[in-house]
Amino acid sequence: MKITAVLFALLATASLSFAADEAAKKPEGDKPKGPTEAAFTKKDANGDGKLTKDEFTKGAPDAAKAEKQFERKDKDKSGDVSKEEFLAVGAKKEAKEAK
């Protein structure tokens, strides 16, 4: 009887340990890649559906890098970035992610 109880306790402990390990693992593919609509909405301070250079670069740790990103995103060179431009992933990045 004692052996059965000990074996049951070991089995229960092992099961709990395994479940905890599985819960701690994060799936690789679940992290969003690239910008999201929520990020665009957060940056769009005045809610006009486009980002000015000031809105785009505000809060960026590296202002020069953010300005370069703004210039690359502004495909139509209108001086602002639309939601479509913001969410678009460059062809180079798309090719890299496809591999």
Side-chain angles (χ1 to χ4, degrees), residues 1 5 12-13 20 26 31 33-37 43 51 57 59 63-64 67 70-71 74 80 96:
M1 187 66 141
T13 304
K26 293 186 179 180
K31 185 177 179 185
K33 294 188 174 32
T36 64
E37 287 190 41
K43 285 185 167 289
L51 301 177
T57 59
E67 284 189 32
F70 178 85
E71 298 300 326
D74 186 15
D80 54 45
K96 184 179 179 183

Side-chain angles (χ1 to χ4, degrees), residues 7-97:
L7 288 175
F8 180 73
L10 287 173
L11 181 62
T13 304
S15 296
L16 290 174
S17 176
F18 180 74
D21 286 346
E22 288 299 312
K25 290 181 185 176
K26 293 186 179 180
E28 293 287 325
D30 287 354
K31 185 177 179 185
K33 294 188 174 32
T36 64
E37 287 190 41
F40 179 87
T41 303
K42 185 176 179 181
K43 285 185 167 289
D44 187 14
N46 61 2
D48 65 353
K50 52 191 171 184
L51 301 177
T52 63
K53 188 181 284 191
D54 289 338
E55 287 174 324
F56 189 90
T57 59
K58 185 176 182 180
D62 185 348
K65 185 176 178 182
E67 284 189 32
K68 287 180 184 177
Q69 289 174 338
F70 178 85
E71 298 300 326
R72 282 194 304 267
K73 289 282 188 187
D74 186 15
K75 297 292 185 191
D76 62 2
K77 304 302 179 205
S78 62
D80 54 45
V81 174
S82 68
K83 185 185 282 189
E84 291 76 23
E85 289 173 322
F86 183 80
L87 296 175
V89 178
K92 222 184 238 187
K93 191 171 184 179
E94 285 177 349
K96 184 179 179 183
E97 289 176 359

